[in-house]
Structures are given as structure tokens and as C-alpha cells.
Amino acid sequence: MRVTDFFQFVFKTSLSKSQMSRDINTLRTDIKVLKDKLIPFNEDEMELLSLRQSFSSRKKGITKISKGVFDTIYFEHLLAYAIRTYSNGQKLILITTTSDEFIYFNKGNKTHVFVNNAEAGMLSPEGKLYDVRNKLLATIDGGDQRLSHPVWIKGKEVGYIANPRFNTKTMQRAFQFVQPMSKDERSIFLCLTLVNLVEEAQ
């Protein structure tokens, strides 16, 4: 997956480089305590991710920030997130595991996706993830009315993510996999599904 430097993108947005950097660092600081409690994230733990949040909070006012932690089915903290909503409706979302950091910047009808400070692609409102060369990588059916959202990578169905809005079980698994994925495919799968999980849980 070809990537570009995160701050090359910043100059193309309505936010200045200094403001974007400051806001990201603020979110990192806000969830540092939560991140310190996470267990190591790996392929096995990924399969155990649940829809349960052991912690969530919202700060209203001029600066709207939401944050929280998702657990495994065994009540272990697996990923933390923070969301900043700007007055113009744009969103900055940071999702972190012990090993990787995903940043989503929603601008208009596009969401730019970054993994570990490198741009991984752009997510369209229709749930299509394109790389930096505008090549289609994957698709998710993210309709709010669905009980779960199927994901296709390079034309093949690889799995589902459950919709937290229809969660009726105490420890329902977040993911259901149809077939094995490579390391790159798992990364693409996470890029698509983690932001879906966090936003639908709000």
C-alpha cells in the first residue's frame, strides 16, 4: 500500500499544519491513560474484539470531544479512541491499539485515512476505500439499518463487522471472518471497520 506523509495532506485541508498537529496531540494526551491499559493487539485478539465499551465519555461545549475503550469478549481493554468534532461539522478521529494508530479526518464528503502518520487512502460516503493513487482497495456496506456490515477487499468478501446499534448481547463479537486475510488485508479491513465501529457506537 503506497503511503504519503501525513503533513503533506494537512496543507490541503482547511486546518493549518500547526492546528492539526496540536489537535492530534491533544487527543493523544486525552486517551494516554486509556491506551496505557490496553493489552497487546494481534491477530488472535482482533478476533476477540467485542462491541462492549468499558469506558466512554463526552465533553460538550465549544470543543466537543468523545472518547472511550472497546474490550475483548473477556473484558480486556483492546482499543481506545477519541473524536473531536469541529464547529463546521468536520471530525478528527483517533483510534489506537498498543501497536498502531489510525487517524480519520472527515472533510466534506470524504474521510482521509492515516495509519501511523502515513496517508493510507480516502473513504467515500458510499463506504469505498481508495488508496492514494485513487485505486479501489475495499468496500463496506455501512448502512445504518443493517445488523452487520459486510466487507469486500479487492472484490472478495472477507468478513463482517456487527452494528453496535443493534447489539443485544452482553459480549457480542465485533468481527466475523469469512476467510483468512494477509497482513495487508487485515490492515485494510481495520481501516474500514474501526471507524465504522466507533462512530456507530456514539
Side-chain angles (χ1 to χ4, degrees):
M1 188 190 314
R2 183 173 178 267
V3 296
T4 57
D5 184 79
F6 173 74
F7 289 110
Q8 289 180 1
F9 163 79
V10 170
F11 290 110
K12 304 175 185 177
T13 73
S14 58
L15 297 178
S16 67
K17 175 179 178 180
S18 59
Q19 181 182 350
M20 177 73 82
S21 178
R22 183 168 60 250
D23 290 349
I24 290 172
N25 285 331
T26 296
L27 294 184
R28 286 172 176 155
T29 300
D30 282 347
I31 62 172
K32 183 181 185 306
V33 174
L34 303 179
K35 183 178 179 179
D36 290 343
K37 297 178 180 180
L38 302 180
I39 63 170
F41 189 94
N42 54 42
E43 185 176 353
D44 292 333
E45 299 300 336
M46 176 178 168
E47 296 186 13
L48 300 178
L49 177 65
S50 77
L51 300 181
R52 179 181 182 272
Q53 292 192 71
S54 59
F55 169 85
S56 64
S57 70
R58 294 184 182 183
K59 177 183 176 182
K60 298 182 178 180
I62 297 176
T63 302
K64 297 180 180 179
I65 295 180
S66 302
K67 56 185 177 180
V69 172
F70 281 91
D71 293 344
T72 69
I73 59 173
Y74 299 119
F75 300 94
E76 299 166 308
H77 308 322
L78 192 56
L79 65 88
Y81 71 86
I83 305 171
R84 174 171 180 144
T85 304
Y86 296 91
S87 58
N88 61 4
Q90 294 179 349
K91 287 183 181 180
L92 180 64
I93 301 174
L94 184 151
I95 303 173
T96 187
T97 68
T98 53
S99 56
D100 295 301
E101 181 182 79
F102 301 83
I103 295 174
Y104 302 84
F105 180 65
N106 174 263
K107 182 186 178 185
N109 63 349
K110 298 179 180 179
T111 298
H112 296 267
V113 185
F114 303 84
V115 180
N116 299 327
N117 285 333
E119 186 174 13
M122 187 277 293
L123 182 60
S124 76
E126 298 77 30
K128 296 182 183 296
L129 180 65
Y130 298 89
D131 67 12
V132 294
R133 295 179 177 175
N134 205 35
K135 179 182 178 182
L136 181 63
L137 293 175
T139 304
I140 183 171
D141 186 339
D144 291 342
Q145 76 284 356
R146 296 188 62 98
L147 296 178
S148 61
H149 307 297
V151 176
W152 294 268
I153 297 178
K154 298 177 181 178
K156 65 178 182 179
E157 188 176 39
V158 296
Y160 298 80
I161 179 170
N163 188 339
R165 297 176 182 176
F166 295 94
N167 182 21
T168 58
K169 300 178 182 178
T170 304
M171 296 302 290
Q172 181 179 349
R173 291 178 190 250
F175 297 140
Q176 177 184 350
F177 300 105
V178 175
Q179 56 183 296
M181 289 181 282
S182 67
K183 183 178 179 180
D184 282 346
E185 288 173 335
R186 286 196 301 273
S187 180
I188 292 171
F189 184 87
L190 290 173
C191 283
L192 267 179
T193 57
L194 292 185
V195 67
N196 192 281
L197 172 68
V198 167
E199 290 199 292
E200 286 192 329
Q202 301 306 303

